[in-house]
């Protein structure tokens, strides 16, 4: 599979860098905090289940947050985030495994590792509660889902098309992230989640990703059936705790 075929040059560069990065030197074993349970608990508490992303920068955003990742993470949790996502991709997103390690030591909510993981040994870089696996960019999705679970990780499989959703379900994915961003053109449409969500089984935890910038966007994704919302840029722009509080309180 030529995973980079038809994708934006920025994504090609990210994948090339991912292929060059090594893996861990020992097989990890993780006692994970449950991401689905954390999202459900936020729902029961009357909060919109937000996965707040510690996102220093990205190819699709302007500027950079140079705050301590732990301070950003604590602000997200103070604002009501049910879980966190931490970038570990260093070259294009300013993330690092050390940032994730430090964040996870300081918070009690589940922490998702967000990176472009291509091979099994790359799972062994750092402990997290959940790991992102992007269906389009993985050759053996079923094998990588299994390998993640064997280490104790909860795999969150990201999809953008109906075919990728079918592949994720066939691979046994129990947590599926539907990315509203088309990685071929880097364009965002919230209708992507609305179109794909009805095709997922009821027992799959669905996370809406990308393009959620306002209370209206959050409410729209909730009405479409999301169990959680992964939000980065909209929370990093300004007062992180206040931004999180605003989305957590969005009405359907």
């Amino acid at each position: 599979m030529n995973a980079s075929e038809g994708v934006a040059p920025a994504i090609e560069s990210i994948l090339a860098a991912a292929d060059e990065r090594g893996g861990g030197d020992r097989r990890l074993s993780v006692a994970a905090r449950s991401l689905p349970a954390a999202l459900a608990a936020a729902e029961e508490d009357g909060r919109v289940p937000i996965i707040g992303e510690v996102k220093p920068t990205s190819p699709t955003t302007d500027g950079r947050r140079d705050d301590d990742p732990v301070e950003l993470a604590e602000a997200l949790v103070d604002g009501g985030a049910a879980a966190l996502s931490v970038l570990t991709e260093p070259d294009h997103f300013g993330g690092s495994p050390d940032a994730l390690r430090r964040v996870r030591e300081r918070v009690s909510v589940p922490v998702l590792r967000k990176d472009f993981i291509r091979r099994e040994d790359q799972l062994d870089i750092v402990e997290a509660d959940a790991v992102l696996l992007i269906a389009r960019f993985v050759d053996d999705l079923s094998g990588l889902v299994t390998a993640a679970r064997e280490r104790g990780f909860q795999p969150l499989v990201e999809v953008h098309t109906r075919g990728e959703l079918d592949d994720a379900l066939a691979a046994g994915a129990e947590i599926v992230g539907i990315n509203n961003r088309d990685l071929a053109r880097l364009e965002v449409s919230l209708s992507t989640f609305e179109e794909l969500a009805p095709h997922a089984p009821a027992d799959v935890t669905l996370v809406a990703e990308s393009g959620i910038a306002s209370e209206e966007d959050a409410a729209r994704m909730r009405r479409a059936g999301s169990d959680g919302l992964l939000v980065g840029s909209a929370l990093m722009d300004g007062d992180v705790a206040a931004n999180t509080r605003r989305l957590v309180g969005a009405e359907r």
Side-chain angles (χ1 to χ4, degrees), residues 178 180 188-198 220-221 224:
I178 297 177
N180 290 310
V188 175
S189 173
L190 296 183
S191 64
T192 301
F193 184 91
E194 293 168 327
E195 292 168 1
L196 294 185
R220 180 177 170 182
M221 293 294 91

Side-chain angles (χ1 to χ4, degrees), residues 6 28 33 38 90 108 115 124 132 134 139 148 160-161 163 167 183 189 196 208 212 222 226-227 231 234 249-250:
L28 295 180
R33 307 158 187 164
S108 59
D115 206 329
D124 295 318
L132 180 73
I134 304 176
D139 287 314
H160 179 71
T161 67
D167 289 344
L183 294 178
S189 173
L196 294 185
I212 302 162
R222 296 289 289 141
S226 67
D227 298 297
V231 187

Side-chain angles (χ1 to χ4, degrees), residues 54-211:
V54 178
K55 187 177 187 179
T57 188
S58 84
T60 59
T61 58
D62 295 326
R64 180 184 175 96
R65 289 293 298 240
D66 289 319
D67 312 53
D68 187 310
V70 174
E71 294 180 1
L72 292 174
E74 291 178 332
L76 290 166
V77 174
D78 287 347
L84 299 177
S85 169
V86 178
L87 272 298
T88 59
E89 201 282 343
D91 301 308
H92 302 80
F93 292 87
S96 73
D98 183 63
L100 188 151
R101 185 179 299 108
R102 292 174 53 228
V103 166
R104 191 165 181 261
E105 288 174 352
R106 290 285 292 272
V107 301
S108 59
V109 301
V111 179
L112 166 72
R113 177 188 172 195
K114 191 171 183 185
D115 206 329
F116 289 73
I117 296 173
R118 305 271 275 166
R119 307 184 310 273
E120 180 174 344
D121 66 327
Q122 292 175 331
L123 292 168
D124 295 318
I125 295 294
V126 64
E127 293 186 6
D129 301 294
V131 291
L132 180 73
L133 303 177
I134 304 176
R136 180 168 186 172
F137 301 143
V138 173
D139 287 314
D140 180 10
L141 183 58
S142 179
L144 205 51
V145 166
T146 297
R149 288 200 180 116
E150 288 174 347
R151 289 160 170 80
F153 295 117
Q154 300 163 92
L156 188 161
V157 181
E158 178 179 296
V159 306
H160 179 71
T161 67
R162 176 66 187 278
E164 290 172 4
L165 174 60
D166 291 343
D167 289 344
L169 298 175
E174 297 174 352
I175 309 172
V176 172
I178 297 177
N179 193 346
N180 290 310
R181 187 182 305 280
D182 178 359
L183 294 178
R185 296 183 296 274
L186 297 182
E187 297 172 352
V188 175
S189 173
L190 296 183
S191 64
T192 301
F193 184 91
E194 293 168 327
E195 292 168 1
L196 294 185
H199 299 289
D203 60 349
V204 169
T205 298
L206 284 182
V207 177
E209 304 176 17
S210 297

